[in-house]
Amino acid sequence: MSEISVGSVTTKGQITIPKEIREKLNLKEGDRVIFVIEGGQATIRKASSEKFSEILRRQKPWQEHSVKFQKRIRREWQ
C-alpha cells in the first residue's frame, strides 16, 4: 500500500520527513537515508546498517577501478 505525505525544504536545503514516514521507516535522529532519483521522482530509503565490507564483497567482479570506486564512496558519505 502506498502512502503519501508532504514534507518541506528549509532555506538550507534540509528536508523535514513527516512523522508517519519516520515511524514507518523506523528513522531515528542521526540515521542516514538514501535518496534515489528515477524518472523525475525521488524515493527515500533508510540506509542499511549492513557492514560496508559485506556490501563490497557482493560487488565482485569490480565494475570500476578499485581506487576510483573508493574515492567515489568517500565523496558520497561526506
Side-chain angles (χ1 to χ4, degrees):
M1 180 171 84
S2 295
E3 288 195 35
I4 298 175
S5 294
V6 177
S8 59
V9 180
T10 69
T11 56
K12 293 183 179 182
Q14 298 169 328
I15 297 174
T16 301
I17 302 170
K19 182 180 179 181
E20 57 272 7
I21 301 298
R22 293 191 315 265
E23 289 173 349
K24 291 274 185 181
L25 294 177
N26 194 30
L27 292 172
K28 307 290 185 224
E29 184 178 344
D31 285 349
R32 291 187 173 267
V33 294
I34 298 169
F35 294 92
V36 179
I37 307 294
E38 293 181 274
Q41 296 183 354
T43 303
I44 183 174
R45 297 186 310 201
K46 184 175 182 176
S48 173
S49 60
E50 185 176 19
K51 290 183 179 179
F52 192 62
S53 60
E54 293 298 321
I55 296 169
L56 291 178
R57 198 169 286 131
R58 287 197 310 268
Q59 299 303 315
K60 295 180 181 177
W62 293 103
Q63 299 299 315
E64 62 185 290
H65 188 272
S66 62
V67 173
K68 182 178 176 184
F69 175 77
Q70 290 172 18
K71 287 179 181 179
R72 181 169 57 87
I73 292 299
R74 285 186 189 125
R75 281 192 311 270
E76 290 175 0
W77 285 100
Q78 288 181 348

